Amino acid sequence: MATQRIIDFLATRRPDGPCLVVDLDVVADNFRAFERALPDSRIYYAIKANPAPEILRMLAKMGSSFDAASVAEVEMAMNAGAPASRISFGNTIKKERDIARAYQLGVRLFAVDCVEEVEKIARVAAGSRVFCRVLTDGAGAEWPLSRKFGCVPVMAVDVLRRAHALGLEAYGVSFHVGSQQTDLAAWDRALGDARQVFAALAEEGIVLRMVNLGGGFPTRYLRDVPAAEAYGQAIFDALRKHFGNAIPETIIEPGRGMVGNAGVIKSEVVLISKKADNDNVRWVFLDIGKFGGLAETMDEAIRYPLVTRHDGDATAPCVLAGPTCDSADVLYEKTPYPLPLSLTIGDEVLIEGTGAYTTTYSAVAFNGFEPLRSYVI
Amino acid sequence: MATQRIIDFLATRRPDGPCLVVDLDVVADNFRAFERALPDSRIYYAIKANPAPEILRMLAKMGSSFDAASVAEVEMAMNAGAPASRISFGNTIKKERDIARAYQLGVRLFAVDCVEEVEKIARVAAGSRVFCRVLTDGAGAEWPLSRKFGCVPVMAVDVLRRAHALGLEAYGVSFHVGSQQTDLAAWDRALGDARQVFAALAEEGIVLRMVNLGGGFPTRYLRDVPAAEAYGQAIFDALRKHFGNAIPETIIEPGRGMVGNAGVIKSEVVLISKKADNDNVRWVFLDIGKFGGLAETMDEAIRYPLVTRHDGDATAPCVLAGPTCDSADVLYEKTPYPLPLSLTIGDEVLIEGTGAYTTTYSAVAFNGFEPLRSYVI
């Protein structure tokens, strides 16, 4: 997944220190793949995955809409050329003054998951569209969702009824099947729940129009995953099954699926050592770790593919760790990582599939290390 | 622990958004308490705990030495007025070019835990002092140490022998008993290990002179912890027991113990909601979370005291979560936090004991939220 453009960039520029390089061509390919797979859905790119201005500008030009988690992200999308009408304020947890600010900027689409949030929006963003997030179980996802977002479907009915009563447009239902979701049946279960909410409100004369299918579209890490086309078909089948001929408008919010496989982090081996002479496991320390952009290795949830110039040589299991003085800054220890025995201090290690959720997770200055630099080419 | 000065500052300045306020008077008190408790130890403040220039300048003026985790931290200490002779490069994982840079700046004291690191130092920092970190088990610590740093004591003998052979000064042994260590016997066990290394090398004519006792001195969170004096006495007793009349020079590296209780984070309740009408547990969302500076709530390891204007009112258990769209951004869920039933959206929540390991852990821009601001008063 280190494209030739990325390899050439690193060979030519030879940047010092760890950095992320993102290939815009891959992002463009991903956008078109989503368009092909789900031709009737509008694509709202989840800015939080990677808000690099070059990525936002290209996607805006290609016609993408944007899912923003904060006012700052609304402004990033607008600065990249997206009109406010193409921006969804998708965070269910918003300060009232931030809702007001987004409304002033022209945003008219907001996520909610409780009556309290509906009331804020009614106060400062009159007439806006709201969609209510319902809880899903997240089974099958690599980066599991907690119960943090969403409410049970029966409560979503109350939330949207309240929105309607307060003069907002009760617009639809959203869910998120969990990040890196590889179980296609997860969409079927969630769409069944969404259908219940549509039906209950229709009985009261409130007609919902939209289902937000969320994100969760996996990027390719170590394992093969069903391609975007398979996702599209599975989702279409589930929509047909639950909504028959009255298929609602749909939105998707890919983040990782749009940029994850477009980026590669270049890092360097700082140290290789053992804890005791008779230890079988070597410790390999890189110049990037959990606080430098690889936060998603938390609990060893995501296992990135590593590329070295010694690939093909005999390997042995290694604990992989970051460069900070924090003992929690260990990437893979429970399941050690097989790395070439010929790997040495100073060698370059490419960490693939790191285009999403790396730069912005990076700590601002932990241990004095600067945040992860990024080049978008 | 929100001092009157902090309360007055917040009342007068009314900063918008979450922020950390650190009271320098408390830091000064802590420094003097360490001096009194361990009058024969040199204090190396662990810069990584909080590198605010005001803190470094005051401690430099008070005579503190500094433990740096990177070249950037070496430079921070020097910019604050500390001579290079008072700086230890305490990270065992260093690029050779960073060792060279620190040496050029005048640093002559380096941490190691393997022969490979000794060889780097011998190549680019001739004649420097090195101390070898030994592994400890970390039992009794709230933020447990992994095996990331240090080697077994028998290997430390090899490492320091190699340093001596390469013309470096084999200076001593370091250990770290684990952060927030409340078991005073942990120092006794570690000093016993250190003594073994001293004895083995003495037989070969290599005389070590220093024991680096590390950090781990707890700050006051929810529970009472033995005061600095008790730590001092326990450490002195263990030194006497293991080293008799030949007590070595000692160094301590307090970080959390120096600044943890000096800081308070001001945050705001963004939302209070339930996931279902019949749910017993309310969800309280703050405008700061795991990616905004409260990284040490990982696995609910550290439980900060919270102060609201409703304290004393009837409470009920709450899940406490941050404001980002990341489902992992939940602070306390396994053990819900009792908060006043009268707490409402918009209320201020003070998070105490947050002077250490907050600002620098903060993500650079996750979800578009700016890093944690800090005021040192």
Side-chain angles (χ1 to χ4, degrees):
Chain A
M1 294 197 290
T3 63
Q4 196 57 47
R5 295 182 69 220
I6 292 176
I7 289 165
D8 292 347
F9 175 86
L10 288 172
T12 313
R13 283 284 292 270
R14 307 200 64 73
D16 188 45
C19 64
L20 170 69
V21 187
V22 175
D23 185 340
L24 278 178
D25 289 352
V26 180
V27 180
D29 284 348
N30 290 336
F31 183 80
R32 285 185 288 258
F34 280 118
E35 281 189 319
R36 276 194 309 274
L38 291 157
D40 299 320
S41 293
R42 276 180 73 181
I43 300 171
Y44 282 70
Y45 171 59
I47 300 170
K48 58 183 175 288
N50 191 327
E54 300 90 338
I55 296 173
L56 301 184
R57 277 198 298 269
M58 187 189 72
L59 289 174
K61 214 171 277 175
M62 292 180 82
S64 186
S65 296
F66 294 90
D67 166 40
S70 63
V71 171
E73 287 194 352
V74 168
E75 290 168 338
M76 288 176 203
M78 295 183 73
N79 290 339
S85 59
R86 278 205 258 145
I87 299 171
S88 163
F89 199 154
N91 192 339
T92 52
I93 308 152
K94 300 174 288 300
K95 289 182 182 173
E96 189 165 316
R97 55 189 184 274
D98 288 343
I99 297 168
R101 175 85 185 117
Y103 184 77
Q104 280 164 11
L105 291 169
V107 175
R108 296 291 181 272
L109 181 59
F110 297 89
V112 298
D113 67 358
C114 61
V115 162
E116 292 78 3
E117 197 75 7
V118 165
E119 287 169 352
K120 290 183 201 168
I121 295 169
R123 278 193 293 269
V124 297
S128 291
R129 291 173 163 175
V130 298
F131 55 92
C132 185
R133 181 152 167 183
V134 293
L135 274 169
T136 53
D137 65 5
E142 272 189 19
W143 182 249
L145 292 170
S146 65
R147 285 165 51 86
K148 183 174 176 186
F149 306 105
C151 59
V152 296
V154 65
M155 188 167 139
V157 174
D158 298 337
V159 168
L160 289 166
R161 183 190 299 118
R162 180 82 180 140
H164 180 78
L166 290 174
L168 299 170
E169 182 180 346
Y171 186 49
V173 169
S174 76
F175 54 79
H176 196 294
V177 292
S179 203
Q180 287 285 92
Q181 177 59 260
T182 54
D183 173 13
L184 292 172
W187 271 271
D188 180 62
R189 288 192 299 273
L191 281 166
D193 287 344
R195 171 64 190 151
Q196 281 179 39
V197 179
F198 271 64
L201 286 163
E203 282 178 21
E204 306 176 22
I206 301 171
V207 181
L208 302 182
R209 290 167 43 196
M210 186 273 287
V211 172
N212 180 334
L213 302 162
F217 308 98
T219 185
R220 181 186 291 263
Y221 288 108
L222 287 178
R223 291 173 291 150
D224 267 326
V225 288
E229 284 79 5
Y231 277 81
Q233 191 58 47
I235 289 166
F236 183 79
D237 292 347
L239 280 166
R240 180 69 74 197
K241 169 177 159 193
H242 294 292
F243 290 90
N245 286 323
I247 291 183
E249 297 170 29
T250 53
I251 278 177
I252 57 171
E253 294 172 337
R256 191 188 309 278
M258 189 76 83
V259 293
N261 68 343
V264 170
I265 286 174
K266 185 219 71 160
S267 68
E268 176 183 331
V269 175
V270 181
L271 183 64
I272 301 177
S273 63
K274 288 185 171 188
K275 298 292 151 190
D277 286 329
N278 58 357
D279 230 343
N280 285 326
V281 175
R282 290 179 305 160
W283 282 67
V284 173
F285 298 93
L286 301 178
D287 61 359
I288 183 170
K290 210 172 251 177
F291 302 104
L294 302 177
E296 293 204 316
T297 59
M298 207 190 288
D299 300 325
E300 309 194 11
I302 284 184
R303 204 165 169 87
Y304 296 108
L306 303 180
V307 176
T308 77
R309 68 187 172 95
H310 304 287
D311 293 346
D313 291 2
T315 65
C318 297
V319 175
L320 199 69
T324 68
C325 284
D326 196 307
S327 54
D329 186 13
V330 175
L331 306 175
Y332 305 117
E333 182 175 15
K334 277 174 264 172
T335 310
Y337 208 105
L339 286 171
L341 284 162
S342 46
L343 191 71
T344 55
I345 294 172
D347 275 343
E348 183 175 283
V349 173
L350 298 182
I351 310 172
E352 295 190 325
T354 45
Y357 299 112
T358 50
T359 48
T360 52
Y361 264 122
S362 167
V364 66
F366 192 55
N367 276 220
F369 294 111
E370 65 172 316
L372 183 61
R373 266 173 303 134
S374 139
Y375 301 94
V376 179
I377 60 172
Chain B
M1 295 197 290
T3 63
Q4 195 58 47
R5 293 182 70 221
I6 292 176
I7 291 166
D8 291 347
F9 175 86
L10 288 171
T12 313
R13 285 283 293 269
R14 307 200 66 73
D16 188 45
C19 64
L20 170 69
V21 187
V22 175
D23 185 339
L24 279 178
D25 289 352
V26 179
V27 180
D29 284 349
N30 290 337
F31 183 80
R32 284 186 289 257
F34 279 118
E35 281 189 318
R36 277 195 309 273
L38 291 157
D40 298 320
S41 294
R42 275 181 74 182
I43 300 170
Y44 282 70
Y45 171 60
I47 300 170
K48 58 183 174 286
N50 190 327
E54 300 90 337
I55 295 173
L56 301 184
R57 278 199 297 270
M58 187 188 71
L59 288 174
K61 215 171 276 175
M62 292 180 83
S64 187
S65 295
F66 293 90
D67 166 41
S70 63
V71 171
E73 288 195 350
V74 168
E75 289 169 337
M76 287 176 204
M78 296 184 74
N79 290 339
S85 59
R86 279 204 257 143
I87 300 171
S88 163
F89 199 154
N91 193 339
T92 52
I93 310 151
K94 300 174 289 298
K95 289 182 181 173
E96 190 165 316
R97 55 190 184 273
D98 287 343
I99 297 168
R101 175 83 186 121
Y103 184 77
Q104 280 163 11
L105 291 169
V107 175
R108 295 292 181 273
L109 182 58
F110 296 89
V112 297
D113 67 359
C114 62
V115 161
E116 292 78 3
E117 197 75 7
V118 164
E119 288 169 351
K120 292 183 201 168
I121 294 168
R123 279 193 292 271
V124 297
S128 291
R129 291 174 163 176
V130 299
F131 56 92
C132 184
R133 180 152 167 181
V134 294
L135 275 169
T136 53
D137 64 5
E142 274 190 15
W143 183 249
L145 291 170
S146 66
R147 285 165 51 87
K148 182 175 178 186
F149 307 105
C151 61
V152 296
V154 67
M155 187 168 141
V157 173
D158 298 337
V159 169
L160 289 165
R161 183 191 299 117
R162 180 84 180 138
H164 180 79
L166 290 174
L168 298 171
E169 180 179 346
Y171 186 49
V173 169
S174 76
F175 54 79
H176 196 295
V177 292
S179 203
Q180 286 285 90
Q181 178 56 262
T182 53
D183 174 13
L184 291 172
W187 272 271
D188 181 62
R189 289 192 299 273
L191 281 166
D193 288 344
R195 171 63 189 154
Q196 283 180 37
V197 179
F198 271 63
L201 287 164
E203 281 178 23
E204 306 176 24
I206 301 171
V207 181
L208 303 183
R209 289 167 45 195
M210 186 274 286
V211 173
N212 179 336
L213 302 162
F217 309 98
T219 186
R220 180 187 291 264
Y221 287 107
L222 285 180
R223 291 172 290 148
D224 269 324
V225 290
E229 284 80 3
Y231 276 81
Q233 190 60 47
I235 289 166
F236 182 79
D237 291 348
L239 280 166
R240 179 70 74 195
K241 170 178 160 192
H242 294 291
F243 290 90
N245 286 323
I247 291 183
E249 298 170 29
T250 53
I251 277 177
I252 57 171
E253 294 172 338
R256 193 189 306 280
M258 190 75 84
V259 294
N261 69 343
V264 170
I265 286 175
K266 185 220 71 161
S267 69
E268 176 183 331
V269 176
V270 180
L271 183 63
I272 301 177
S273 64
K274 288 186 171 187
K275 299 291 152 192
D277 286 330
N278 57 356
D279 231 342
N280 284 326
V281 175
R282 290 180 304 161
W283 282 68
V284 173
F285 299 93
L286 300 179
D287 60 0
I288 183 170
K290 210 172 250 176
F291 302 105
L294 302 177
E296 293 204 315
T297 57
M298 207 189 286
D299 300 324
E300 310 194 11
I302 284 185
R303 202 165 170 87
Y304 297 108
L306 303 180
V307 176
T308 77
R309 69 187 171 96
H310 304 287
D311 292 347
D313 291 3
T315 65
C318 296
V319 175
L320 200 69
T324 68
C325 284
D326 195 307
S327 54
D329 186 13
V330 175
L331 306 176
Y332 304 118
E333 182 175 15
K334 277 176 261 171
T335 311
Y337 208 104
L339 286 171
L341 284 162
S342 46
L343 191 72
T344 56
I345 293 171
D347 274 343
E348 184 176 283
V349 173
L350 298 182
I351 310 172
E352 296 190 325
T354 45
Y357 298 113
T358 49
T359 48
T360 51
Y361 264 123
S362 169
V364 67
F366 191 55
N367 276 216
F369 293 112
E370 64 172 319
L372 183 60
R373 268 174 302 137
S374 134
Y375 301 94
V376 179
I377 61 173

